[in-house]
Amino acid sequence: MPYSGSSVTVTAKNSKGTELFVGTASGVDADSYLDGVAQEQISDVSFPNSASHRFTPGDAKPEADIADRDWWISSDTGKTVAKTFDLDAEPQVLVIAPANSDDSLDGTTVSLQMRVKGVFALSLLGIAGTIILAGFSVFFFMRWWASRIRPPKKDVGPPSGSEPDSNDSGPDGGGDGPSGGSGRGGPEPAADRTVKGEPGPATQPISTVQPDTAGQAPPRRRDLRNRRSFRAVTASVLGTGLVLSGCANMPIAKPSSPDTTPYERTAVRAGEAGKFMTNYTESLDKTLGDKGSDLDKIQAAPLIDHTRAQIQIADKAKQKLRAPNFTEVVAGSPNFTEYPMWFYAFGTADKKSTDGDKQLTQVMLVTRESASTDPLVRSASYIPTDQMPTLMADDSGAVEKGPEDFSEDLTTASGDVSSFLVDGKAKSGGPEGLKEGGFKGFRDYLGDLRDKDSGFDKVDVDCKPYEDLKFEDMTLSTENGAIGMGEVRCTLTIKAPSDYALDLGDTVEAVKTNDKEGDTIKVDTAHPYVLMKTGDELTAVATDWNVLSSKVE
């Protein structure tokens, strides 16, 4: 949405009663989920009634049910669905689809409404500013118009330096009268009164008053045009300032050209590691209770081979399996922006969930091929909690991938583990820990089979690294080194005298794949382990090993 400073509500209605789904997601998830699916994409909106969109042909529906995906940031269903989102928030993709994948969007209309705050108040400010500006304009126009109407010129008095003629007689032109006064009793001329020192009248007619202008500059007409222009400009600036001051403070939607960055999403988003582990544990518990049904929805090889064998063994021994409970979880991955993804999950197990005195942490390697598939746990093993390394994440939560030399160490270590399981000899320069835990347990088991009291003629073992999963490509850096996982598969060939009956116990019997009679039995085993590097020291940790299958030859 090329706008900012507001929120938008997207509403979808279906006139045919079809149940609709609306959800928001990170782009990497939505793009992966809808890859190859027919869709209408709205890429740009210009209010009030213009949108840029294009149709992309493809399959009629996605591979997985839309409502079952765990990566939706928000979602809702109904015949009318709506979503309001902040235009200034992190970019998201909004998806509208039929809730039932077998339905279509026929009869669906989508509308967008932008919330624009303060428009009424801004309009009032604009009207008020216009009125003020008009008032100023009328006032100054009237002032200008009035200045054009000037009064007539004043009468001009006698020339400077002239004196009244003392010999002039009255109106009738008669001569002087007696010295005591006028013969007709009229007032004396002003000049005569002045000579005699008598006071003059209190006022004089305005037409006879001549201002004393000696030594002064002549009067000038003021330039009113500049003043009128200045006043008009001032009024305009004030009016415009009032309107713009209102605009500046109004929180309204504005067109914008945001800098878009690639969609980013952690394989397990911040705060969701615990949610993943909880969901996985609950699903595993349910699967174990149903004797392995839907196990392939949460696990994949090589781990799924171990779990299936454990279910068979537990059923044979009349035991009940359960998933561990975790008190603390951590997850890390270097992969953020594209599928397929992988990550490590670390769960500190409740002491009641595991055997032994030491508290253990389960390490799980999880992969996810696309947004249409579920996360699958590919490998799982335990390490002592006090050996759990510290993961170093950046600001976005990404953990750097392990260095290339550690990937080489992981490949070399898988050969060292295989060699030790065969002959019990730890090579010089190989990882520490091979004579402990699950490695030692397997060697002790071989020793018991080879004991002269066991009655077996021959016990051979062949081991090699598991190669169907590239463990060396999935490692993480830690505070002081790196961590990764691996697995070795072994095959035991056990031969008994022809007059002996084979009896290898309930564990081997539980995983038999045939009912053939014979004196030779082959047993396949799995040996998952965790490899950690601290400084220059490599340590391999395995707490157990698993019997996978057996057959008689």
Side-chain angles (χ1 to χ4, degrees):
M1 297 290 293
Y3 295 87
S4 64
S6 186
S7 61
V8 163
T9 299
V10 180
T11 304
K13 298 180 181 180
N14 188 275
S15 59
K16 298 183 179 181
T18 301
E19 191 84 358
L20 299 177
F21 171 91
V22 62
T24 57
S26 297
V28 63
D29 297 311
D31 291 346
S32 175
Y33 179 72
L34 297 175
D35 185 28
V37 179
Q39 56 192 282
E40 190 80 25
Q41 297 180 352
I42 300 176
S43 58
D44 188 27
V45 175
S46 298
F47 280 92
N49 56 3
S50 177
S52 299
H53 58 92
R54 65 186 179 92
F55 176 75
T56 302
D59 298 334
K61 60 183 180 180
E63 295 180 8
D65 290 340
I66 193 167
D68 293 340
R69 301 300 88 204
D70 63 332
W71 37 257
W72 291 112
I73 298 173
S74 65
S75 62
D76 193 14
T77 57
K79 295 178 182 178
T80 299
V81 291
K83 172 63 181 176
T84 300
F85 54 93
D86 187 357
L87 292 176
D88 296 319
E90 291 296 322
Q92 299 176 14
V93 173
L94 186 140
V95 178
I96 298 172
N100 184 349
S101 60
D102 293 330
D103 292 333
S104 69
L105 289 177
D106 291 342
T108 301
T109 58
V110 180
S111 62
L112 283 78
Q113 293 178 314
M114 181 185 290
R115 185 181 181 188
V116 184
K117 310 177 200 174
V119 170
F120 181 70
L122 181 60
S123 300
L124 291 180
L125 283 175
I127 294 172
T130 303
I131 293 174
I132 292 172
L133 182 58
F136 272 108
S137 300
V138 172
F139 172 75
F140 288 114
F141 175 78
M142 295 302 296
R143 287 286 303 271
W144 170 77
W145 186 260
S147 68
R148 298 182 60 191
I149 305 174
R150 294 177 294 175
K153 292 183 178 181
K154 300 177 182 179
D155 293 337
V156 180
S160 178
S162 63
E163 294 182 1
D165 188 356
S166 59
N167 296 322
D168 288 346
S169 41
D172 56 358
D176 291 342
S179 61
S182 172
R184 290 186 290 275
E188 295 179 300
D192 292 344
R193 290 198 303 272
T194 304
V195 171
K196 295 177 181 179
E198 297 178 3
T203 60
Q204 300 181 31
I206 191 170
S207 60
T208 62
V209 176
Q210 299 297 322
D212 185 11
T213 58
Q216 296 184 10
R220 294 180 300 172
R221 179 182 177 184
R222 292 177 296 174
D223 189 357
L224 296 178
R225 291 175 299 176
N226 291 338
R227 295 197 63 181
R228 287 196 298 271
S229 299
F230 175 75
R231 289 169 180 169
V233 171
T234 303
S236 301
V237 170
L238 288 175
T240 306
L242 284 172
V243 175
L244 291 181
S245 64
C247 290
N249 293 322
M250 289 297 105
I252 65 173
K254 307 177 184 67
S256 66
S257 298
D259 295 330
T260 57
T261 57
Y263 295 108
E264 291 188 355
R265 174 194 184 277
T266 57
V268 175
R269 288 189 289 263
E272 292 190 355
K275 181 180 178 181
F276 166 78
M277 298 289 271
T278 299
N279 292 342
Y280 172 73
T281 299
E282 292 175 352
S283 299
L284 182 58
D285 261 334
K286 182 180 178 181
T287 296
L288 294 175
D290 293 340
K291 296 184 178 181
S293 63
D294 295 329
L295 183 61
D296 56 351
K297 292 183 177 180
I298 58 175
Q299 291 184 359
L303 178 61
I304 194 171
D305 300 334
H306 311 177
T307 306
R308 284 172 174 163
Q310 290 172 355
I311 292 173
Q312 292 176 281
I313 294 170
D315 184 59
K316 179 75 173 180
K318 307 298 181 183
Q319 296 176 342
K320 184 177 180 180
L321 294 175
R322 58 185 176 87
N325 295 321
F326 301 108
T327 60
E328 184 180 357
V329 295
V330 178
S333 169
N335 191 358
F336 285 84
T337 58
E338 61 182 4
Y339 285 97
M341 294 180 178
W342 61 267
F343 63 92
Y344 277 88
F346 303 86
T348 301
D350 188 306
K351 288 185 178 180
K352 297 180 181 179
S353 299
T354 56
D355 297 329
D357 298 331
K358 285 187 176 183
Q359 190 169 26
L360 301 177
T361 293
Q362 189 174 45
V363 183
M364 291 188 290
L365 176 58
V366 187
T367 63
R368 190 169 196 169
E369 294 301 315
S370 72
S372 299
T373 61
D374 294 320
L376 298 175
V377 182
R378 306 296 299 274
S379 183
S381 187
Y382 285 97
I383 61 173
T385 300
D386 56 10
Q387 294 185 29
M388 171 64 191
T390 301
L391 300 180
M392 304 299 293
D394 60 19
D395 294 339
S396 62
V399 179
E400 188 176 349
K401 191 176 179 180
E404 291 186 9
D405 59 349
F406 180 70
S407 297
E408 296 174 0
D409 291 336
L410 195 61
T411 302
T412 303
S414 64
D416 294 337
V417 171
S418 300
S419 177
F420 176 81
L421 293 176
V422 171
D423 58 23
K425 298 177 181 179
K427 293 183 178 180
S428 176
E432 300 291 329
L434 294 182
K435 296 182 179 181
E436 303 172 5
F439 304 126
K440 180 178 183 298
F442 179 72
R443 289 299 307 173
D444 291 343
Y445 180 75
L446 279 178
D448 292 339
L449 292 177
R450 288 170 174 170
D451 187 88
K452 62 181 181 179
D453 295 332
S454 67
F456 297 116
D457 286 342
K458 188 177 182 181
V459 178
D460 291 330
V461 58
D462 178 51
C463 299
K464 61 181 180 180
Y466 183 84
E467 296 179 347
D468 292 344
L469 183 65
K470 300 296 184 182
F471 287 102
E472 62 273 13
D473 294 337
M474 293 175 282
T475 63
L476 291 179
S477 292
T478 62
E479 184 178 19
N480 298 311
I483 187 170
M485 299 190 75
E487 182 166 321
V488 170
R489 293 287 177 93
C490 295
T491 299
L492 299 174
T493 302
I494 305 168
K495 188 172 182 179
S498 56
D499 55 343
Y500 276 62
L502 280 175
D503 184 8
L504 296 174
D506 290 342
T507 297
V508 175
E509 288 291 332
V511 294
K512 281 180 62 175
T513 59
N514 65 357
D515 293 327
K516 183 178 178 180
E517 296 291 334
D519 58 1
T520 302
I521 187 169
K522 289 190 175 181
V523 180
D524 294 323
T525 61
H527 307 266
Y529 60 90
V530 178
L531 186 70
M532 293 178 287
K533 188 172 186 177
T534 304
D536 295 329
E537 182 178 337
L538 285 173
T539 303
V541 180
T543 56
D544 206 351
W545 58 282
N546 302 277
V547 174
L548 299 182
S549 64
S550 64
K551 63 180 180 179
V552 177
E553 294 181 345

